[in-house]
Amino acid sequence: AEYLAAGVPVICNSGVGDIDAMVRDNRVGVIIDGFKDADYVRALNELDKLYADGDLRQRCRDTAKRLFDLESVGGVRYRRIYKTLMN
């Protein structure tokens, strides 16, 4: 969430929670499906295509705000979790 909020696309492994769908659906990064050289080359090529769109930074920021903003997405719930962790 922090990288997206800063306008930076993410590169992550597949199969980690619902991150695959979030990244692909919002076009804010790439998913690496394997660990072979070809997988990394494919991911970098996909990232180049995303940057070519021209609005990638703003799309990253907008996605972070929509999905992870503490005030608009369950601010009360997050505050309760943080308060519990602090105790």
Side-chain angles (χ1 to χ4, degrees):
E2 292 85 1
Y3 286 108
L4 293 175
V8 178
V10 295
I11 300 173
C12 56
N13 299 348
S14 62
V16 179
D18 60 351
I19 195 78
D20 297 40
M22 187 274 299
V23 169
R24 285 186 177 125
D25 292 349
N26 293 285
R27 299 180 56 241
V28 292
V30 296
I31 305 297
I32 297 179
D33 294 314
F35 299 102
K36 296 184 178 179
D37 289 346
D39 298 314
Y40 292 106
V41 169
R42 181 195 53 76
L44 290 174
N45 288 334
E46 285 183 24
L47 191 59
D48 284 341
K49 289 177 187 175
L50 288 175
Y51 271 111
D53 287 348
D55 66 343
L56 179 59
R57 286 188 177 283
Q58 190 60 49
R59 194 167 56 240
C60 289
R61 288 185 194 110
D62 293 344
T63 299
K65 184 162 183 70
R66 190 176 71 255
L67 298 178
F68 303 111
D69 182 66
L70 292 179
E71 293 302 320
S72 64
V73 181
V76 172
R77 186 181 74 190
Y78 281 122
R79 279 190 215 104
R80 192 174 349 150
I81 290 169
Y82 291 139
K83 189 180 249 184
T84 300
L85 292 172
M86 298 285 287
N87 292 331

